[in-house]
Amino acid sequence: MAVQFADDSESHDAYEAPQQGINRTDTERSLPTKRQRWATTRATGEQARSKRLSIRNRFHKRNFSGSSSSVGPKGDDAKADIDDEEHSGHSSRSIYFNIDLPPSARDEEGHPKEQFARNKIRTSKYTALSFFPKNLWLQFHNIANIYFLFIILLSIGYIFGAANPGLNAVPLIVIVVITAIKDAIEDTRRTLLDNELNNSPVHRLMGWTNVNTSGDKVSLWRRFKKANTRGLVAMWRLLKKMTSRKGSQKSNPVDAYVERAAGTRPSVDENRMSALTERMSYQSARTPNRERDEGLELTPVPSPRQSRDMTSKTMSRTSTRQAVPDTKTPYKREYGSIINPDRKAANKARFQKDYWKNVQVGDFVRLYNEEQIPADIVVLSTSDPDGACYVETKNLDGETNLKVRQALRCGQNVKRARDCEMTEFNIESEPPHANLYAYSGVARWQQQSRDPFDPDALPTEKAEPISSNNLLLRGCSIRNTEWVLGVVVFTGPDTKIMLNSGLTPSKRAKVSRDLNWNVLYNFIVLFCMCLVAGFVEGTYWAESNTTITFFEINSYGASPALDGLISFWAAIVLYQNLVPISLYISLEMVRTLQAFFIYSDTSMYYDKVDYPCTPKSWNISDDLGQIEYIFSDKTGTLTQNSMEFKKVSVNGVPYGEAYTEAQAGLQKRQGIDVDAEAKEARTQIAQDKIKMLTDLRSLHDNPYLRDEQLTFVAPDFIADVRGDAGEEQKSANKQFMLALALCHTVITERTPGNPPTLEFKAQSPDEAALVGTARDCGFTVIGRTNDGIIVNIMGDEQEFTVLNTLEFNSTRKRMSAIMRMPDGKIMLFCKGADSIIYSRLKAQEQEELRVTTAEHLEMFAREGLRTLCIAQKEISEEEYQAWNKEHDIAAASLQNRDEKLEVVSDAMEQDLTLLGGTAIEDRLQDGVPDTIQLLGDAGIKLWVLTGDKVETAINIGFSCNLLNNDMELITFKVEDESLETADEQLSKHLAAFGMTGSNQELLAAKKNHEPPAPTHAIIIDGDSLKLVLDDRLRQKFLLLCKQCKSVLCCRVSPAQKAAVVRMVKSGLDVITLSIGDGANDVAMIQEADVGIGIAGEEGRQAVMSSDFAIGQFRFLRRLLLVHGRWCYRRMGECIANFFYKEIVWTFALFWYSIYNNFDCSYVFDYSYIILYNTLFTSLVVIFLGVSDQDVSDKVSLAVPQLYRRGIERKEWTQPKFWIYMFDGLYQSVICYFMAHLVFSPATFNTEGGIQVNDNTRFGIYIGNAAVIVVNFYILLNTYRWDGPILGVTLFSILLIFAWTGIYTSFTVAFQFYQGGAQVYGQLSFWVQTLVTVIVALLPSFVYKALQKVYFPKDADIIREQVQQGHFKYLDDMDPGEVAPLREKKLSASSSDNSSPNGKTFTGQEDERAIYPPSVAPTQSTSANRNPHSQQGSDDSTPMPIENRVSFERPRVSIDRPRPSFERMRSSMDRLRPSFEASGDLTSASRLTQIQSSHKPSASRSQSRLREEQHS
């Protein structure tokens, strides 16, 4: 964004010294500390405590008075140039503070024209008022429900022959009520969370006028709701008071909370530490533009977590650092202030507790440590004198590391409520958009003149740009900052987190969506049947030579056509079961019971957080069996987000013992017995840990060492620190640990105790792990002073002055700290990616050390560890002072500041001396690699969508078996951010697979459900992803990803995650699943067909928006491969059998209608009609849908390939539907005509001479046989014949006999009276029933026998193997430990089949963090590219080929056993010949070919900066 500064020209980018009459040469000296906004814990002096006591004593004696005045804006301020393609549909906003709105922003009544969204949010689908109409509206989107309602309305007319219209309505009422209750339960959880969030407390400035909103313009509807709420609350309180025995003596915690939230905040908050506590309060500095006698903070701030003994020790410690050479204090640029010193404050404003939902755009809010941020807020000031504050963004991007945000320079004097009243400024902001990492705005104000020689000078217009670095986003949390004061710019739905979350969707299972087509087909069949009935009946009534004239007095219709029309509608009532409402009731019951059994599965119970697998959407359990694509977050989902320091290489000596999952995977591919190897390794590590702890305490009794926190197990390292290997190695080890203790941005939190506990808060978990290991080895970071770091080195506390901190970012891939040592030397410590550090090492030095360290780093990386290199450089005083001038100029620039700082930093980070390398393990969750492998064997494709860096994602990809060293890593990165370049890259990569991205290829891809070959993986960042998701490129990108085994999308926003899921779901027509644990995953969880939330230890945002919630990622395999497959197969069989049984029953009525001219009379007693779908046949179908198993749960996990039938959707298909329909049609013919043939020759009489040939008794012959046939047929389709299913089948069959016998024994049966005894006494009935059952079921039995013998399905083969005892070994295994049965001797590592053409990896070297992939031969692999090129080493010169690393060269300087090192060397030696033969370079050999020298470009850049300075 381009912002014009009123009094700044190009020459003012550095300083405004010439205007102030100050000599430039005197102002260009360096400050003692030049660091960039890093976390620092500061302790104030003793005077602050007494000052606070004085203020507290005077507080209640003060009388606030004064008047306020406002100064209008100077015309219409020029708006900032905001251009963002995502802002279409929104307008920019201007927010005014203590300035009257311009006329253009007000309506005729003087109210603001622009109405901003409320801060109250709602993620639930319903409200109490909208639930019933909206839920009914959604339910009647189902065409079947509309049909059933129509049938009920139709049956009310008596002319259509309905026996009991009221009884017909019961099934529809039941299903609507059950579904509504289920939806209400699901949505209540979301509503409760919304209410809890909306009613969270925040300190908001009250007692002043926010001109941006109008409190009077409240809609009548909102007033009505508020009045009702207040009335209900008042009635509730009155009722509680009347029923309470103690009356007013008993306090109500709810009332107390309301009073606290709505009342004025007390002068000294009881919830915070008072002035009499021992904390060191923050003392605000005097405002430079006016004198103040009082420094009162109207809102007390919390205590920094620092004990008194620590504070006093810090303040009384004699600094050991050397004095900085005498330099004059440099001129500090004056940025101006939004406070108008001439404005008189009313002194009525106070920060008071209020609800989140009441926060409005333009409000001042004060936030405290550990509080969540209620809206998107621009920071004005913080408790840090430099204006820094620290936020945790895990709800946005899933990361728990701290981020630094900076207050506006013009607002750093705004600290109190009175200061807020005296501000006069406006913010011009871009419109709301979903990009979490971008924001553009500008603050404008009139700067009052302070020239004592010209007091009448007019104020000048000033402006300061606002970026995402100044913005706190809703959902984040304040950390390690006492307080933050800011103004609200976006609220509620306009906040970035809400724009990324999306609306709560209504999800329906794929089977349910397909079911609509089957219902439609049945409608067509029903229409044809009714059309035949109406036509025949109308034609028959039109004939005059029939007996109808003797037996029918009159018809309902006045004409044959009308009679036929009436018969058509009567037939719809008669044959209505062809589209059975009982099907939907049964499916709801089945899905509910399936959800219950999923919830009850103890194998998916996570005891650590006391959480079982919890279904939250009960109607999509069968979708779990059809998942083809899984989209997973990384941090907190695949990993524990817990970094553990494992290994290190110092001065060419490797240290550390570890056995990682990646190493186990590598050995497993080599045929090594992993279980035995792991047991041996862990036993050795446990022994070494005990020895190391003993040696550490003998060397130095470190009070900060905790046994359970030690992750770096290396007894030999401590021995070398002790000096066993000589002074050289001792010095190298100490210097290395000192570098870890100094080169970081960690802040220390101290918990009092004996001994005290230190907790390190870092911007990345890696930094915390590095500093933690330094602490364990005796180099403890105690804390920070204003300009230094205090380190306890083996019991000796020393202070090191921080001169500069050069930040880490994704472009630099390194971080440096320039320190003044206690002896006065200036040292630079640098850590970063191995290729970046190697390219900056001093040329022609440390040749052997480079080779050895590169070898160690490669071995570390192959173990799945994240590697970093550590280097240092000694700087002379003259060199530093000259460089620091350049750094000051770059840091003060307003134009291209980041680019200039990068140039200056790069110039200093040259000619480094290598110290060694580190290896950190990002701990995966338990069972993640096995789960991913199991899901892959099942044919499921896993994509990782993460907000992390590319390098981090690749590391995890290798660790969890997503990537392997067979794959060619396609790193998709568009540098110039143009669609044309992205299109070219996509076309090039597609050509490697012989594709062009055509529509025909997309159609073929939709039909192909086979997993791609494990030869390629694609890695893409968020910026490039934004391009390829464009409509013009989306199809090509989708087809490219379809060819890749793994896809990793890095640095993506929540909205981009949802867009990727949408692309795959709609583009390939597949069932998708998203899984995550944070609020940043909500969008993709809601977008996917099935959303899984992980109930971790970092919040439940994802859980509340998910369809299923689990405790850990590993439970996903059982949820999908066991329950998902079972549910889908059961549902397919359940629906098919349901349609089948309705065909049998309905067509039996149809065949009977042929012989009564379709007069729509019933052949069955009406009780048969009711009970057929409720008791006689539905119980078996429901039981099949709930408990049937083709194979057990253990076998399902041991043979994951069984899941592929679900991916291919073979359990419920249209051919299967029609097969069951024709099967039912055949059996209906047998059931009816067998009885018809019995009565065709003659009728039968009872012993008493009573005939049994009336329609109801004839119906017993048909109905009983049909019920037996249907139940036995369903039993034939059931795999698991155990006691319950056999019992339910027998019960259903006996029930019709029992009902007929009992019901017909009473006169209430009317003409059906004694029908059971009369029919069951006939031999013809029993013979006919037996023959009917045999003839009806024989074809199905023969078909199934032939199919299982000659055309078996996968499940049939596995069932046979189970009977043969092939899976006996599973009986004694825990269900959670079952793994696929694999051959004991596996093939050699895939690296043995490296590419024979010598083609090498073409990505960036820092992105090949672990395995050096062998490039699969494709058309896109260019033989002309330079395999030695490295990022950051454009001017590197390759070393001679004889200097390549050789793993045969032993290091003889120190001879001691290193089990982990030798174990990994042995594994790598097996792979070495294939790499050497193919010419493929390993990471180690690549690193050894990098040498660095001063880059001419850096010198040229410095010269250019000097020219800008003097221009």
Side-chain angles (χ1 to χ4, degrees), residues 340-355:
N340 182 2
D342 299 329
R343 179 184 178 87
K344 294 184 179 180
N347 291 331
K348 295 180 180 180
R350 298 291 185 272
F351 281 105
Q352 300 175 1
K353 273 188 178 181
D354 201 354
Y355 295 127

Side-chain angles (χ1 to χ4, degrees), residues 74 87 113 275 404 442 541 752 932 1007 1183 1190 1205 1323 1335:
K74 186 179 179 180
H87 301 168
K113 284 184 178 179
V404 182
V442 60
W541 274 92
I932 291 177
K1007 298 177 181 178
F1183 208 88
D1190 51 354
R1205 282 186 63 83
L1323 179 62
V1335 175

Side-chain angles (χ1 to χ4, degrees), residues 1402-1458:
T1402 60
Q1404 300 179 12
E1405 176 60 24
D1406 57 289
E1407 291 171 357
R1408 41 179 303 142
I1410 298 189
Y1411 301 96
S1414 303
V1415 179
T1418 64
Q1419 299 178 25
S1420 66
T1421 311
S1422 173
N1424 298 325
R1425 60 194 174 199
N1426 179 10
H1428 307 311
S1429 63
Q1430 297 292 325
Q1431 181 189 11
S1433 57
D1434 298 336
D1435 302 317
S1436 303
T1437 51
M1439 293 177 60
I1441 195 67
E1442 57 269 13
N1443 284 334
R1444 278 192 191 179
V1445 60
S1446 171
F1447 288 90
E1448 302 301 326
R1449 173 180 53 79
R1451 182 168 179 87
V1452 297
S1453 60
I1454 303 175
D1455 187 11
R1456 59 164 66 94
R1458 291 188 175 87

Side-chain angles (χ1 to χ4, degrees), residues 1212-1226:
W1212 175 243
T1213 61
Q1214 295 306 316
K1216 181 176 182 177
F1217 166 75
W1218 289 111
I1219 289 173
Y1220 276 73
M1221 292 282 283
F1222 283 113
D1223 212 348
L1225 185 66
Y1226 161 76

Side-chain angles (χ1 to χ4, degrees), residues 15 22-32 34 325-332 888:
Y15 301 105
I22 298 177
N23 192 334
R24 175 175 291 275
T25 59
D26 293 337
T27 65
E28 293 180 350
R29 302 295 176 85
S30 65
L31 286 170
K34 294 290 183 185
D326 187 22
T327 58
K328 295 184 179 180
T329 303
Y331 170 77
K332 184 176 182 179
D888 285 345

Side-chain angles (χ1 to χ4, degrees), residues 628-646:
E628 185 170 353
Y629 283 86
I630 294 178
F631 301 90
S632 174
D633 182 36
K634 182 192 75 69
T635 306
T637 303
L638 299 178
T639 70
Q640 302 177 19
N641 199 28
S642 173
M643 305 296 179
E644 294 186 356
F645 192 105
K646 291 297 184 183

Side-chain angles (χ1 to χ4, degrees), residues 645-646 688-690 692-693 696 705-714 773 775-777:
F645 192 105
K646 291 297 184 183
D688 290 344
K689 183 175 181 178
I690 295 174
M692 181 174 180
L693 288 170
L696 276 171
L705 175 63
R706 297 291 181 271
D707 294 1
E708 67 279 1
Q709 295 179 356
L710 181 66
T711 62
F712 176 50
V713 179
T773 298
R775 172 203 60 203
D776 295 340
C777 293

Side-chain angles (χ1 to χ4, degrees), residues 830-1067:
C830 183
K831 64 183 179 186
D834 47 17
S835 61
I836 300 299
I837 299 299
Y838 264 65
S839 66
R840 284 159 176 77
L841 296 179
K842 196 168 186 178
Q844 308 303 324
E845 289 188 5
Q846 299 180 297
E847 303 289 357
E848 181 181 358
L849 180 59
R850 293 192 198 192
V851 172
T852 308
T853 304
E855 172 190 345
H856 298 162
L857 290 176
E858 181 181 356
M859 284 192 291
F860 297 161
R862 284 178 172 271
E863 294 180 74
L865 303 177
R866 302 154 60 98
T867 59
L868 286 175
C869 276
I870 311 296
Q872 69 178 19
K873 174 184 178 181
E874 184 174 349
I875 309 172
S876 66
E877 188 70 40
E878 294 75 15
E879 180 184 1
Y880 172 74
Q881 294 298 334
W883 173 85
N884 197 45
K885 292 179 182 179
E886 305 288 346
H887 182 270
D888 285 345
I889 296 172
S893 296
L894 295 177
Q895 306 293 333
N896 302 320
R897 178 176 179 270
D898 292 337
E899 290 79 2
K900 294 177 180 179
L901 279 174
E902 167 60 20
V903 171
V904 175
S905 300
D906 187 68
M908 177 57 73
E909 295 166 329
Q910 298 290 337
D911 290 339
L912 304 179
T913 300
L914 181 65
L915 293 178
T918 64
I920 297 176
E921 182 182 14
D922 186 0
R923 294 294 304 275
L924 296 173
Q925 291 185 11
D926 296 337
V928 166
D930 292 338
T931 300
I932 291 177
Q933 184 175 357
L934 208 61
L935 296 176
D937 293 341
I940 300 174
K941 298 88 175 174
L942 178 66
W943 291 20
V944 175
L945 312 178
T946 176
D948 277 353
K949 299 178 296 183
V950 172
E951 308 90 273
T952 305
I954 294 177
N955 282 339
I956 297 302
F958 277 106
S959 298
C960 63
N961 292 336
L962 269 177
L963 306 177
N964 59 55
N965 47 342
D966 269 349
M967 292 182 178
E968 175 182 354
L969 301 187
I970 302 175
T971 305
F972 197 95
K973 190 178 179 89
V974 183
E975 299 291 349
D976 58 359
E977 298 186 3
S978 74
L979 289 175
E980 292 73 16
T981 304
D983 191 16
E984 291 175 3
Q985 290 194 30
L986 286 173
S987 300
K988 182 187 74 170
H989 291 305
L990 280 173
F993 301 98
M995 303 176 67
T996 60
S998 63
N999 292 331
Q1000 292 77 11
E1001 293 170 347
L1002 182 61
L1003 292 175
K1006 289 183 178 181
K1007 298 177 181 178
N1008 180 19
H1009 298 284
E1010 290 295 322
T1015 57
H1016 291 76
I1018 185 168
I1019 296 97
I1020 184 170
D1021 62 6
D1023 294 333
S1024 302
L1025 184 63
K1026 181 179 178 181
L1027 298 174
V1028 298
L1029 289 177
D1030 186 89
D1031 292 338
R1032 291 165 286 180
L1033 304 181
R1034 185 184 297 124
Q1035 181 169 313
K1036 286 187 175 181
F1037 178 65
L1038 180 60
L1039 289 173
L1040 176 62
C1041 293
K1042 183 77 167 62
Q1043 305 304 315
C1044 296
K1045 177 69 174 177
S1046 301
V1047 177
L1048 279 74
C1049 301
C1050 312
R1051 306 301 292 176
V1052 293
S1053 67
Q1056 286 179 316
K1057 291 182 179 182
V1060 172
V1061 176
R1062 190 182 310 115
M1063 174 189 72
V1064 175
K1065 182 176 70 171
S1066 59

